Amino acid sequence: MISSKMKKTAAVLSASMLMLGTCGTAMAAEDDSVTLTRAEFQALMDRIARLETRLDQTEKKQETADTKVEKLEKTTADNEAKVKKDKDMAWKFSGDIRARAVLDHNSNGASYTYRVRLKGEKPITENLKFVFRDVMMNENPTGVTGSSYTIGKNGVVTQSSSKESFNKFDNAYFLISGIGGRKDTTLKIGRFGHSFGTTGYWSGEWTYGMYDGVEFATCLGKLKMSLGFGDWGAANDPTGDKFVVNNATGAVTGASGTDSLGTTASKIERNYFAKLNYAPTKNDNFNVWHLRETGGDSSPRDYNLLGFGFTHNFDKTWSLSVDYSRNSGLDDTQRHDGKVAVLSWKKASYSQPHSFGMKAYYINVDKFNVAKAGSSVLIPHNDNTGYGLSLHYTIARNLMFDLFGEFRMKKKSTGADNGNYYRAQLSAQF
């Protein structure tokens, strides 16, 4: 690149040659030679000196202008970087609302429930983030909120005397990433959820949280692994004393709680876990998981679970997911297995209006295999066997309609006929 000094020199020389050429004709002799007097030569040099001075002044003005432009560009870039950083570090909120209508053999008519959840994320530093989710309403039936409840076959609502609110934070944790300089190595501390298996029948991470503990996760090529420990006891509240208000007579009757020790028969308390996930190709995914309850002495049930599963994508339309797990922690001779398969065709997406999909389910789950922590398979599956079908359609962006059904259901522990199950729901994300 030519420097400004070289440009100036070239300009001076060009101007000098031009002036010499201009006066050369006037002063030319018959033999074509040029003769200058001392006065003419001095006048010429003075003109060249003045020209050089003017070029110096022009160059300084240009350098000053360039400096101002550079400072302005740097200030603009700094401001844009600050705005981006502030945006990246700002709170991000999202949530969902869902309304359900359910009809099954346990009710004389359809029951209607509502759920509202709010999620927030706040980056604290580049590698530290805080995440929470508030379950503002959790499947509250029509006309009942702010207290725990059960609904009997006659429609009488049984409320807890503790007036326990259903509004709770099921997620509230810190996520630390970039541990050891690896972006995919993370540490989660606080209250969060878990995904075990490929179908989500045993547990779905964002279906329901309430796991208070620590989880370390990392990757080795195509192998993902995580391990940790914690307490899942908050997922199911203890059964306390109850009272029943008769809608017809107004009479109040009491009922003693069946869980005076503050535990329930089908929840996991203190435990440790490990998960392995291996994806050899983009169409295949295998996983193995283990969860061992360590607080069995204070819980009526003890969980020692081992499970494995896989997902295979046949093409962009069809996929199959299968899970099997066994709970061997109970001191009895019965098997407590869970076997679930889900065949999926296409997929409805909240971000794609008019997209649709369908799923077919096979359910075969023994009693005390599932611990009621929160499943993403949205048909009955605990202590149950049967076949299910679901249809999903995105009405508009972030608005989805779902239909679920399960047929020929039987209670695994007794063999009793559970009839059929139907549910329609409308859910929106924001």
Side-chain angles (χ1 to χ4, degrees):
M1 182 178 292
I2 301 174
S3 66
S4 60
K5 186 175 181 180
M6 294 176 65
K7 289 180 180 178
K8 181 181 73 174
T9 302
V12 171
L13 291 174
S14 298
S16 302
M17 293 299 294
L18 181 61
M19 286 187 291
L20 287 172
T22 301
C23 61
T25 303
M27 296 182 292
E30 291 182 359
D31 57 356
D32 295 331
S33 64
V34 179
T35 303
L36 293 176
T37 66
R38 181 181 298 274
E40 290 173 336
F41 180 77
Q42 184 61 45
L44 179 61
M45 294 305 296
D46 290 342
R47 291 179 64 186
I48 293 175
R50 287 195 298 272
L51 178 61
E52 186 173 10
T53 300
R54 291 178 62 184
L55 289 173
D56 285 339
Q57 293 174 348
T58 302
E59 182 181 4
K60 288 180 180 179
K61 290 180 180 180
Q62 184 62 43
E63 289 178 350
T64 301
D66 291 343
T67 301
K68 289 181 179 180
V69 171
E70 290 177 359
K71 288 182 178 180
L72 181 60
E73 290 176 347
K74 184 178 185 304
T75 301
T76 302
D78 291 343
N79 289 337
E80 290 177 350
K82 185 177 183 302
V83 170
K84 183 179 183 302
K85 182 178 180 181
D86 292 342
K87 184 178 179 180
D88 292 340
M89 303 301 278
W91 276 100
K92 298 178 179 64
F93 293 98
S94 60
D96 62 87
I97 303 172
R98 184 174 70 193
R100 279 180 171 179
V102 179
L103 180 64
D104 62 15
H105 73 289
N106 289 319
S107 59
N108 294 327
S111 61
Y112 303 92
T113 62
Y114 306 92
R115 186 184 73 181
V116 180
R117 302 186 298 187
L118 176 67
K119 179 185 176 183
E121 298 184 18
K122 176 64 172 73
I124 300 173
T125 66
E126 183 179 355
N127 294 319
L128 177 62
K129 178 169 64 174
F130 174 70
V131 181
F132 80 87
R133 187 174 67 177
D134 182 11
V135 184
M136 305 170 73
M137 296 176 64
N138 187 33
E139 306 307 335
N140 288 42
T142 304
V144 176
T145 188
S147 59
S148 58
Y149 58 86
T150 57
I151 303 177
K153 287 187 177 182
N154 59 358
V156 174
V157 176
T158 303
Q159 291 183 304
S160 169
S161 58
S162 65
K163 296 292 183 183
E164 184 178 19
S165 174
F166 270 82
N167 186 356
K168 62 183 67 178
F169 287 91
D170 74 328
N171 278 265
Y173 63 87
F174 289 101
L175 180 64
I176 305 171
S177 59
I179 298 175
R182 295 174 58 92
K183 186 177 181 180
D184 53 10
T185 300
T186 62
L187 183 66
K188 192 181 292 186
I189 304 173
R191 171 169 288 189
F192 47 90
H194 276 297
S195 291
F196 287 112
T198 58
T199 65
Y201 99 91
W202 204 91
S203 176
E205 180 177 3
W206 281 106
T207 301
Y208 202 46
M210 308 305 291
Y211 186 93
D212 301 331
V214 176
E215 179 178 20
F216 173 80
T218 189
C219 292
L220 295 175
K222 297 180 180 181
L223 179 65
K224 298 180 181 179
M225 61 187 71
S226 65
L227 52 91
F229 61 89
D231 192 326
W232 224 335
N236 291 90
D237 299 311
T239 303
D241 295 338
K242 295 180 179 297
F243 65 89
V244 178
V245 180
N246 189 299
N247 291 339
T249 65
V252 179
T253 57
S256 299
T258 59
D259 194 10
S260 59
L261 295 178
T263 61
T264 58
S266 56
K267 74 172 182 179
I268 290 178
E269 295 181 338
R270 294 184 300 276
N271 64 86
Y272 62 84
F273 66 89
K275 295 187 281 186
L276 296 176
N277 182 279
Y278 179 60
T281 70
K282 66 178 182 179
N283 292 322
D284 295 287
N285 187 293
F286 301 90
N287 70 79
V288 179
W289 57 276
H290 173 61
L291 185 145
R292 178 72 169 91
E293 187 177 11
T294 61
D297 293 341
S298 60
S299 176
R301 302 294 175 186
D302 195 9
Y303 284 84
N304 184 14
L305 285 140
L306 179 64
F308 62 88
F310 71 88
T311 294
H312 175 69
N313 298 315
F314 297 99
D315 50 36
K316 293 182 179 180
T317 301
W318 293 92
S319 67
L320 175 66
S321 297
V322 177
D323 272 324
Y324 170 80
S325 71
R326 169 172 292 185
N327 178 19
S328 59
L330 301 180
D331 295 328
D332 57 29
T333 58
Q334 297 179 350
R335 297 177 61 176
H336 304 283
D337 297 347
K339 298 179 283 290
V340 174
V342 181
L343 179 64
S344 301
W345 176 71
K346 294 191 174 181
K347 182 180 180 180
S349 173
Y350 281 97
S351 61
Q352 297 180 4
H354 309 301
S355 59
F356 57 91
M358 180 177 67
K359 293 182 179 181
Y361 306 82
Y362 167 70
I363 303 294
N364 191 336
V365 181
D366 293 328
K367 189 176 182 180
F368 302 129
N369 174 268
V370 178
K372 297 183 180 179
S375 166
S376 57
V377 170
L378 302 180
I379 59 175
H381 53 275
N382 189 30
D383 191 17
N384 179 57
T385 180
Y387 300 90
L389 185 69
S390 64
L391 305 173
H392 315 270
Y393 176 69
T394 304
I395 300 174
R397 185 177 178 84
N398 296 327
L399 181 63
M400 188 179 297
F401 178 72
D402 306 279
L403 282 174
F404 296 85
E406 188 173 356
F407 318 101
R408 301 178 62 184
M409 296 164 53
K410 290 186 179 295
K411 195 175 184 66
K412 283 296 297 289
S413 57
T414 63
D417 187 0
N418 279 345
N420 297 334
Y421 171 91
Y422 307 98
R423 184 174 79 250
Q425 65 184 39
L426 187 66
S427 54
Q429 293 184 345
F430 58 89

